[in-house]
Amino acid sequence: MISGRAPKGSLVSRAALAAACAVVLLANTNTAPSGLFPGGDARIAADDANWVTTGRSYDEQRFSPLSQIDDSNASRLGLAWYADLNMSRGEEATPLVVDGVMYVSTAWSVVRAFDATNGKPLWTFDPAVPRSQLVNACCDAVNRGVAWWRGRLYVGTLDGRLIAIDARTGKQAWSVQTTPRDLPYTITGAPRVIKGRVIIGNGGAELGARGFVTAYDAMSGRKVWRFYVVPGEPGKPDGEVSDPQMATARETWSGDAWWKQKAGGGNAWDAFAYDPELDLLYIGTGNGSPWNRMARSEGKGDNLYLSSIVAVRPETGEYVWHYQEVPGDEWDYTATQSIVLADLVIDGKKRKVLMQAPKNGFFYILDRETGKVISAEKYVPVNWASKIDLATGRPVENPEARYSELGKPFYGTPSSLGGHNWPPMAFSPRTGLVYIPTQELALPYVSDPAYKKAPLGYNTGNRLGASVPQLTSPLKEAKGYLMAWDPVNQREVWRAPRDTFGNGGILATAGNVVFQGTGTGFFKAVRATDGKELFSLWGQTGILAAPMTYMVRGKQYVAVLAGCGGVYGSACNLYGKDGRHANLDRVLVFALDGRAKLPDAPAAQAMVLDPPAVTANVATIAEGDRQYALRCAVCHGYRAVSTGNQPDLRYSPFIADPDNWRSVVLDGLLANAGMVSFSKVLDHDQAEAIRQYLIAKAQEQRARIKGEKGTKEQKGADEPVMHAS
Ligand code: CA
């Protein structure tokens, strides 16, 4: 696997290279076993050409041994084919390719198969997810991929089903409902199949849910085990394999608010990895539900197993060890970011490690046999904790960070969007470096002392999106970059700046190339050793998903999904000075000397800003601000500015007329498009106050555009996030 090619890096120091190469030698000889996909199909498992599980291999390294495309020829890349998905949502899946067929899951949990050489559609499986389910999703109708196992595909649906599909025909083999239908659970993560068990988690911790992971028999769909992440009602065991751990975990919770709210959180929605030698399945768990620890657990306790890595046996779900990254989480600091397994030489000793760059800003290296933390260092600026105490494994917290206890806002870095979010990182055993889609962004945490669980939408216990005096334009100040991180020495080796935060996941290859799409729609290849850009093509739409690579009949391809979406209406940018650009969800596939051409991008849709005059008083507009922040901001954008795929409501024609507004917000006129009625949480006056707030914001925007007025602070506060390109 070592090519022998001399690294050509210029930015990277000799010392770093020497350290990296030392890792390479050992990493290469030792990662192969866990890099396979044993048990599914031995022929395919051993085959470099295919990509059979979301992270390519059970270690989730997202490293391909293919090297036809390398750092000497990547500039010859071009589009081999593309396929329009006829959707306009976030696309977050990593495609799979098995024996020349590509399997893609798209928004709304639709699965499609294509001829991987030319994009010819083979079949489509649509699970018909009710569009009203969108209100239960924290972050758009996304899906992160399918699993493949012995001729079948497995997809989790936004409404909580796990479905087995015949990979040849696209016909359903079985379907099970994995979540309670009366609670706001969703599935957006890719299943993993281990030893004939389909492992599936779920999301919902933003809305009010109790996380769990379930294993189903791959052939029959029969439930095999379920592991709850947080305790339920005292004195009522679940009758599941996690019962002994829930009894222990309960000691770290206080009061009864979390279970009475049917919440607690910890939802493990995406991060799983498996070590076949140790026979351990690693689960990355989510944040507390509600976020606010006062509202959840009387402001006390570690609240196990929130924000943890939990190791279990894949056949039985039996607990083996856990490590909690964020005791008593109240910042949405999930441990659900990608988990990567590798063998590294640390202090002269070969260690079987688990690596994670979770939201909280520390890069963790754990001993994956024992769960002991080996090292943890800041990979982005961090202000909630000064360090991780390696003796105890616990963070040394900044007391100011406990906003719910202090009743005082905390301006957190990283924010709830994280130093790194779900877009997967990759590890190259060839360079010994981890490639992280990194971002810097601060947001305020503001406790809501009057919090009561709402029957619809977000339930964080915080005034999410609330205005705080010191905050002007967090999104404008945010930045994103692709960072190469040396895990052994815990330091940055290089970074490639991006136009915005919220960029795509990563692929690393043996050709010494790292691939990434950007939030502004570019697909890029850079040299793995130093980050030098080798190739860039504008794909017309923001890319969040991770690329993958495969080979058919001797030709290597690289594929990625484009499609802008996600939380806060801002994870990527569709808005330019000329208006709103189309969100063209697509599969983009690249190869050397590819000659396919995208059709010209449609002209931007001019945005008409035509609000009526402000008639409401200051108190009404302030109430509208409060209600907007609580009910609307996570989809339609912070302080009424959307740059993503949900409408910017300042420009909405519906704000002009109170009856039309009410028919959408309270009567559910647009429910089939995913905008359900909010009458469960908004009364007539509150809905009207939101309209008045939006009118005021629209008038501010109009004034700003005309340059007539607007204080300096206002200008900074509400300008849409404009990007360089
Ligand atoms: Ca969360």
Side-chain angles (χ1 to χ4, degrees):
M1 279 163 74
I2 299 173
S3 70
R5 188 187 300 112
K8 296 172 201 158
S10 55
L11 299 176
V12 61
S13 75
R14 280 174 193 282
L17 269 178
C21 290
V23 174
V24 172
L25 289 172
L26 256 140
N28 265 313
T29 50
N30 289 292
T31 46
S34 60
L36 298 180
F37 187 69
D41 181 319
R43 175 185 59 83
I44 286 169
D47 186 350
D48 291 351
N50 288 308
W51 186 290
V52 290
T53 182
T54 187
R56 188 180 177 280
S57 42
Y58 279 142
D59 54 26
E60 307 275 330
Q61 289 184 355
R62 293 178 179 268
F63 173 80
S64 168
L66 296 179
S67 60
Q68 187 179 79
I69 298 165
D70 65 20
D71 57 357
S72 74
N73 62 23
S75 61
R76 281 171 38 211
L77 282 167
L79 199 61
W81 59 267
Y82 72 92
D84 283 324
L85 296 170
N86 302 315
M87 288 192 183
S88 180
R89 289 266 163 208
E91 298 295 348
E92 300 188 353
T94 306
L96 303 187
V97 169
V98 182
D99 289 350
V101 178
M102 176 182 290
Y103 303 103
V104 174
S105 64
T106 73
W108 297 114
S109 329
V110 173
V111 183
R112 300 187 62 177
F114 298 95
D115 181 324
T117 63
N118 57 23
K120 185 182 154 217
L122 301 178
W123 53 256
T124 298
F125 175 82
D126 186 346
V129 171
R131 279 8 185 195
S132 57
Q133 178 66 4
L134 191 61
V135 76
N136 289 331
C138 76
C139 317
D140 205 353
V142 299
N143 188 280
R144 299 195 180 83
V146 293
W148 177 93
W149 181 261
R150 294 185 180 170
R152 277 188 180 166
L153 299 169
Y154 301 88
V155 65
T157 67
L158 197 69
D159 54 356
R161 287 170 284 164
L162 177 68
I163 300 178
I165 304 165
D166 184 307
R168 197 174 47 83
T169 63
K171 298 275 183 274
Q172 178 174 307
W174 53 256
S175 172
V176 290
Q177 180 68 39
T178 74
T179 54
R181 287 306 309 269
D182 58 338
L183 293 169
Y185 285 90
T186 52
I187 298 180
T188 56
R192 305 326 194 253
V193 189
I194 299 165
K195 294 182 152 182
R197 293 353 188 186
V198 190
I199 312 295
I200 192 72
N202 49 60
E206 269 58 63
L207 293 98
R210 179 186 177 207
F212 57 87
V213 176
T214 317
Y216 293 88
D217 180 86
M219 296 316 292
S220 66
R222 179 180 57 87
K223 184 183 133 197
V224 183
W225 55 260
R226 176 164 292 175
F227 191 98
Y228 279 96
V229 178
V230 298
E233 186 174 348
K236 283 199 176 172
D238 299 300
E240 302 289 356
V241 65
S242 49
D243 278 353
Q245 278 65 49
M246 291 304 98
T248 315
R250 193 179 309 288
E251 304 302 312
T252 67
W253 292 72
S254 194
D256 54 16
W258 87 92
W259 66 263
K260 283 194 167 165
Q261 294 173 45
K262 296 189 175 170
N267 299 62
W269 42 269
D270 196 41
F272 299 94
Y274 174 58
D275 183 330
E277 288 179 348
L278 298 173
D279 194 31
L280 290 176
L281 165 66
Y282 304 100
I283 301 168
T285 74
N287 55 280
S289 178
W291 291 6
N292 183 318
R293 192 171 63 160
M294 284 301 281
R296 184 179 76 226
S297 180
E298 299 183 324
K300 288 182 263 186
D302 287 353
N303 295 181
L304 289 170
Y305 296 93
L306 298 181
S307 305
S308 300
I309 307 291
V310 181
V312 304
R313 298 289 175 208
E315 280 171 294
T316 59
E318 185 194 349
Y319 166 96
V320 179
W321 59 253
H322 80 275
Y323 172 73
Q324 189 174 42
E325 292 174 353
V326 186
D329 164 64
E330 58 177 336
W331 307 276
D332 190 20
Y333 286 160
T334 56
T336 51
Q337 285 55 56
S338 43
I339 295 172
V340 174
L341 312 182
D343 293 357
L344 301 178
V345 175
I346 297 171
D347 295 333
K349 276 196 297 204
K350 188 185 73 140
R351 304 293 294 266
K352 289 176 185 292
V353 308
L354 178 157
M355 299 186 276
Q356 191 179 45
K359 279 185 183 178
N360 76 21
F362 288 93
F363 190 98
Y364 290 83
I365 298 189
L366 307 187
D367 180 325
R368 71 173 181 270
E369 296 189 76
T370 63
K372 292 274 182 300
V373 59
I374 295 171
S375 64
E377 295 294 335
K378 296 170 182 173
Y379 66 92
V380 286
V382 172
N383 73 350
W384 72 277
S386 58
K387 64 171 188 173
I388 306 300
D389 181 334
L390 296 182
T392 62
R394 298 179 70 90
V396 178
E397 282 182 20
N398 170 5
E400 299 281 310
R402 288 289 172 188
Y403 62 92
S404 74
E405 208 174 321
L406 300 174
K408 198 173 110 189
F410 174 63
Y411 196 67
T413 304
S415 71
S416 54
L417 296 180
H420 167 220
N421 208 310
W422 67 267
M425 64 185 194
F427 171 73
S428 166
R430 187 185 183 283
T431 61
L433 301 176
V434 181
Y435 302 94
I436 312 169
T438 315
Q439 55 194 18
E440 294 180 19
L441 171 63
L443 284 171
Y445 294 93
V446 186
S447 180
D448 180 1
Y451 169 73
K452 278 202 182 67
K453 189 178 181 183
L456 186 77
Y458 264 44
N459 273 298
T460 63
N462 282 7
R463 293 183 54 212
L464 210 57
S467 312
V468 293
Q470 69 268 39
L471 182 65
T472 53
S473 180
L475 302 185
K476 197 177 178 199
E477 289 157 13
K479 58 181 174 178
Y481 43 94
L482 163 57
M483 181 164 70
W485 184 260
D486 169 0
V488 171
N489 297 299
Q490 286 278 26
R491 58 180 195 78
E492 179 177 336
V493 177
W494 55 255
R495 71 169 67 180
R498 298 295 181 233
D499 296 331
T500 176
F501 74 100
N503 296 292
I506 312 291
L507 162 69
T509 72
N512 198 36
V513 184
V514 169
F515 296 90
Q516 183 191 29
T518 75
T520 47
F522 290 86
F523 186 70
K524 291 177 183 287
V526 304
R527 193 157 58 196
T529 32
D530 63 5
K532 180 186 184 310
E533 189 161 300
L534 306 169
F535 171 74
S536 180
L537 183 141
W538 187 55
Q540 303 180 348
T541 288
I543 298 171
L544 305 171
M548 52 76 71
T549 186
Y550 59 96
M551 185 173 266
V552 183
R553 293 195 288 279
K555 185 172 178 180
Q556 185 184 355
Y557 300 83
V558 178
V560 73
L561 295 194
C564 185
V567 75
Y568 263 128
S570 58
C572 43
N573 188 23
L574 295 169
Y575 291 78
K577 288 194 191 315
D578 50 346
R580 186 183 194 275
H581 296 264
N583 192 16
L584 303 163
D585 291 14
R586 275 180 179 144
V587 187
L588 300 170
V589 179
F590 300 84
L592 293 178
D593 307 315
R595 288 199 177 80
K597 287 255 178 305
L598 293 174
D600 289 343
Q605 211 179 357
M607 293 164 66
V608 181
L609 189 65
D610 190 23
V614 177
T615 53
N617 60 28
V618 173
T620 301
I621 291 169
E623 173 63 4
D625 184 358
R626 204 176 85 80
Q627 293 298 336
Y628 178 91
L630 271 174
R631 311 294 176 206
C632 318
V634 290
C635 291
H636 290 282
Y638 188 80
R639 300 188 72 184
V641 180
S642 175
T643 61
N645 68 355
Q646 314 284 10
D648 185 313
L649 297 178
R650 298 171 303 172
Y651 292 81
S652 168
F654 289 101
I655 65 171
D657 179 87
D659 291 336
N660 289 346
W661 178 253
R662 211 164 38 237
S663 66
V664 174
V665 176
L666 300 181
D667 302 340
L669 179 72
L670 302 178
N672 288 339
M675 172 62 201
V676 297
S677 161
F678 275 65
S679 59
K680 281 184 192 166
V681 288
L682 292 172
D683 63 23
H684 183 286
D685 289 349
Q686 289 166 327
E688 178 58 16
I690 293 172
R691 188 178 80 91
Q692 294 293 344
Y693 165 73
L694 290 167
I695 291 169
K697 299 304 276 186
Q699 289 290 3
E700 274 179 31
Q701 174 74 346
R702 184 149 80 174
R704 189 175 303 107
I705 289 168
K706 287 184 179 168
E708 287 172 359
K709 59 170 190 167
T711 66
K712 203 174 169 190
E713 190 192 50
Q714 280 175 329
K715 281 188 180 184
D718 285 353
E719 278 172 22
V721 190
M722 294 295 182
H723 303 295
S725 43

